[in-house]
């Protein structure tokens, strides 16, 4: 822990370090192998606003290992999915997991390492709705700034019209535009993607739509 340059006052550092090391097991720092703890993540987040370490050439404060100089970067996570269509209707799933359990969404989830965006979108459709989907053009990109996430949605087409209920879903179904449960859509990025999809379908074109969400939505 002492090898991480975090601008926490000495006494406060020692108290936090002792408490967190009691709560969390030690593990290796991912680059140089020195013993540290996941507690450094918490300490970094609790740092005073001024004085955090700035690596050479960087204009943002970072957590830096003083043993090897490796920088711990915090970057946005990518959520990817699609709006699957079959004969004019859209495939939706009711979520079986938190957050927003019981609310409706198109198939979507976090991008995995070694996976393309299109492959992830197809996988999520199979996992959440047991649906085989052909991934089409890029539909919508939503920057969820407060959560450090980027939500990427594609157009999709069910290959055979068959679907089911995956482990992360309570139910699934095909919906006409007029039957979409708008008040029960799980996330703003899904609402944005669906409205963009129907807008483009009515206009008979395919565009890419962008949207920023800066603050958490109060449900």
């Amino acid at each position: 822990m002492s090898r991480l340059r975090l601008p926490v006052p000495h006494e406060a550092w020692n108290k936090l370090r002792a408490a967190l090391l009691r709560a969390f097991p030690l593990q290796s720092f991912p680059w140089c192998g020195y013993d540290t703890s996941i507690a450094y993540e918490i300490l970094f987040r609790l740092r005073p606003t001024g004085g955090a370490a700035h690596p050479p050439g960087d204009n943002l404060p970072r957590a830096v290992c003083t043993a090897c100089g490796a920088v711990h970067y915090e970057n946005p996570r990518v959520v990817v999915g699609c709006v699957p269509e079959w004969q004019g209707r859209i495939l939706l799933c009711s979520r079986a997991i938190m957050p927003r359990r019981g609310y409706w969404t198109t198939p979507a989830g976090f991008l995995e390492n070694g996976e393309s965006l299109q492959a992830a979108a197809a996988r999520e459709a199979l996992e959440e709705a047991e649906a085989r989907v052909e991934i089409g053009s890029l539909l919508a990109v939503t920057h969820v700034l407060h959560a450090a996430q980027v939500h990427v949605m594609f157009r999709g087409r069910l290959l055979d019209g068959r679907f089911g209920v995956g482990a992360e879903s309570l139910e699934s179904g095909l919906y006409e535009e007029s039957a979409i449960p708008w008040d029960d859509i799980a996330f703003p990025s899904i609402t944005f993607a669906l409205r963009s999809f129907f807008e483009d379908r009515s206009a008979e074109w395919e565009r890419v739509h962008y949207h920023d969400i800066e603050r958490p939505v109060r449900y």
Side-chain angles (χ1 to χ4, degrees), residues 9-204:
H10 187 70
E11 284 188 30
W13 171 271
N14 286 337
K15 290 180 181 178
L16 283 169
R17 180 179 184 276
L20 290 169
L21 289 177
R22 283 195 300 269
F24 298 103
L26 287 172
Q27 55 183 311
S28 294
F29 194 81
W31 292 279
C32 66
Y34 276 103
D35 284 339
T36 184
S37 164
I38 60 172
Y40 85 93
E41 288 255 19
I42 300 171
L43 291 169
F44 183 59
R45 293 178 187 277
L46 294 177
R47 71 191 187 280
T49 55
H54 287 72
D58 202 330
N59 62 347
L60 293 175
R62 310 288 186 184
V64 180
C65 176
T66 58
C68 69
V71 181
H72 171 70
Y73 291 99
E74 291 184 294
N75 301 110
R77 299 189 67 187
V78 178
V79 172
V80 62
C82 68
V83 176
E85 185 180 24
W86 176 256
Q87 296 179 351
R89 295 177 293 169
I90 303 302
L91 178 62
L92 297 178
C93 306
S94 175
R95 289 173 58 82
I97 59 175
M98 294 297 289
R100 305 291 281 163
R101 187 179 191 275
Y103 287 80
W104 292 88
T105 182
T106 60
F110 286 106
L111 179 70
E112 300 287 356
N113 291 337
E115 191 174 44
S116 70
L117 292 171
Q118 290 90 337
R123 172 182 56 76
E124 290 292 340
L126 189 62
E127 290 179 355
E128 296 184 3
E130 299 179 356
R132 296 173 59 244
V133 174
E134 178 184 27
I135 302 302
S137 60
L138 181 61
L139 169 63
V141 178
T142 299
H143 305 104
V144 188
L145 302 174
H146 66 89
Q149 295 179 4
V150 179
H151 296 188
V152 180
M153 300 296 294
F154 291 89
R155 296 172 180 86
R157 181 180 67 87
L158 269 70
L159 292 176
D160 51 20
R162 299 168 64 182
F163 61 91
V165 179
E168 296 184 356
S169 300
L170 296 171
E171 57 181 305
S172 59
L174 290 170
Y175 289 83
E176 301 280 356
E177 180 179 0
S178 60
I180 298 289
W182 294 108
D183 291 339
D184 294 321
I185 298 298
F187 305 109
S189 59
I190 300 300
T191 299
F192 177 71
L194 286 169
R195 293 198 183 280
S196 299
F197 177 87
F198 290 126
E199 178 184 326
D200 283 2
R201 190 173 71 174
S202 296
E204 297 184 347

